[in-house]
Amino acid sequence: MCKLLSEWRPSKACIDLIKLNGLDDRQIDAALSYLKSQNELDNIDDIEGYDNWNSLFIMFCIKTGNTDTKA
């Protein structure tokens, strides 16, 4: 399991689950680029409530996707 955000890539299962929640490749790529650009995020151990980047990314994408559809 990858602890550092700079070394992490979403798994196929992670991407598949995000797509099941209605996000397309463009939205997923944008979310990944945004997440990777956050300098304060480095190690998953420093983020309360998450033990891996896939779970954080899934929740991030779903929340972002729901915000996009309400606008």
Side-chain angles (χ1 to χ4, degrees), residues 10-35:
S11 69
K12 181 181 179 333
C14 174
I15 298 297
D16 289 346
L17 184 58
I18 293 168
K19 286 182 177 182
L20 284 173
N21 280 278
L23 279 79
D24 60 28
D25 288 331
R26 181 193 56 80
Q27 292 168 307
I28 294 169
D29 289 343
L32 182 59
S33 293
Y34 178 81
L35 188 65

Side-chain angles (χ1 to χ4, degrees), residues 1-16 18 28-38 41-45 47 50-61:
M1 177 169 52
C2 187
K3 297 281 187 174
L4 300 178
L5 179 59
S6 61
E7 297 173 0
W8 169 79
R9 300 299 303 163
S11 69
K12 181 181 179 333
C14 174
I15 298 297
D16 289 346
I18 293 168
I28 294 169
D29 289 343
L32 182 59
S33 293
Y34 178 81
L35 188 65
K36 291 258 188 178
S37 74
Q38 301 307 298
L41 298 178
D42 181 44
N43 190 315
I44 194 65
D45 290 337
I47 301 174
Y50 293 95
D51 63 355
N52 67 72
W53 289 111
N54 282 327
S55 61
L56 182 134
F57 189 59
I58 290 166
M59 292 307 298
F60 178 76
C61 286

